[in-house]
Amino acid sequence: MDMTEYINNLLTLFNNPQWIIHDRNDTWKHKLEKAIRLGEKLSDDTREMMIFLFQKYIILHQSNYTNLLLDSLDLINPINYQNYTKYYILPIKQETDLGSKSGTNISYLFKTDDIHYHRLFKNNSISEISIETIPKNINSSSVKKLFLVDDFIGSGESSIELLNIINSKININPHKLSFIFLAGMEEGTNKLKKLGYEVYCNISQNKGISDIQDNILKTRYVSLMENIENYFNFPQEIRFGYKKSEALISLERTPNNTFPVFWDYDCNPNAPFRRYK
């Protein structure tokens, strides 16, 4: 794909109102400029791959978090929850990313009217808690339920780390604990489900390249991405995204599970969805 075709594809995408990128500060224009400059450094084949990945990319703005949370809560069958009257919210702290407050931001939304009026919570109580304040009788109580919440699940590592900490203090039965995410990777949600936990996540992604069905195309794109990552000399631990998650998503902050060519400004000054430290 030559530069003219690459730019035309980007313009079509960045001007598509369904691709939620426009904002009050017009920062989308700067993102578009970065994406164009990035393309100038790439081969024709690599530009083709990048357009393929851009078209799969998901952008979720913080201003829409309440609706996104409601979408995930709507996945819960209220019949299975009709006995619960006391809900406890515990944000998932990112142990590997001390600067992240995403879980805390989501737990805060449970204090809003929009969430309290959801069919699940009408006339019920919602309390934000810490690990230390998890009710000791949660396993034996028929009315208490714990939600672990965050905006995004990638590899599932942070969620499992938190589960291990919780269960070292209070061994909670899996049916008394559920996970709520705005978006995530299927690989991560499946890990939690295999452990016996309910996971509610309305927006789910497969791996951006490894889950391509066309094996010839997949092999070619793996090679092209490896070439890009070698060219920019990305750190090994984030190549193909943290834990090789191969995510294609930006939320309030772009997760490091996303391919680093999109966000690692230190190695690639033309990263269109810069992840700020």
Side-chain angles (χ1 to χ4, degrees), residues 103-250:
T104 303
N105 290 343
I106 301 306
S107 66
Y108 184 79
L109 293 178
F110 282 87
K111 300 177 185 293
T112 64
D113 273 348
D114 287 321
I115 302 302
H116 273 264
Y117 280 110
H118 186 271
R119 64 191 181 192
L120 200 65
F121 304 121
K122 281 186 177 179
N123 303 318
N124 296 327
S125 68
I126 307 175
S127 304
E128 184 178 0
I129 60 172
S130 65
I131 294 176
E132 289 70 27
T133 57
I134 296 174
K136 304 297 183 184
N137 67 340
I138 192 164
N139 284 331
S140 59
S141 172
S142 62
V143 299
K144 296 180 178 179
K145 182 78 172 184
L146 175 62
F147 285 149
L148 268 57
V149 303
D150 205 348
D151 64 351
F152 179 78
I153 176 173
S155 67
E157 183 178 88
S158 295
S159 298
I160 292 173
E161 284 178 3
L162 181 58
L163 274 176
N164 291 336
I165 294 171
I166 291 172
N167 287 328
S168 69
K169 300 176 184 295
I170 303 175
N171 193 20
I172 298 181
N173 293 333
H175 75 277
K176 300 295 294 184
L177 186 159
S178 297
F179 288 88
I180 310 289
F181 302 101
L182 306 188
M185 305 301 296
E186 263 194 29
E187 182 180 43
T189 58
N190 285 340
K191 284 181 184 177
L192 297 177
K193 290 176 181 178
K194 287 179 181 178
L195 292 174
Y197 296 95
E198 295 176 355
V199 182
Y200 300 99
C201 178
N202 190 54
I203 298 174
S204 183
Q205 280 193 331
N206 292 319
K207 290 191 173 187
I209 293 178
S210 295
D211 285 331
I212 294 175
Q213 296 299 308
D214 184 330
N215 287 327
I216 295 175
L217 185 66
K218 175 170 62 178
T219 300
R220 185 160 70 90
Y221 281 2
V222 165
S223 177
L224 289 170
M225 183 56 75
E226 288 173 345
N227 290 340
I228 289 179
E229 297 192 331
N230 287 332
Y231 174 78
F232 288 111
N233 196 27
F234 294 123
Q236 287 294 329
E237 64 269 19
I238 61 169
R239 294 195 176 195
F240 279 70
Y242 182 69
K243 294 292 182 180
K244 299 193 180 301
S245 298
E246 300 184 39
L248 291 165
I249 191 169
S250 289

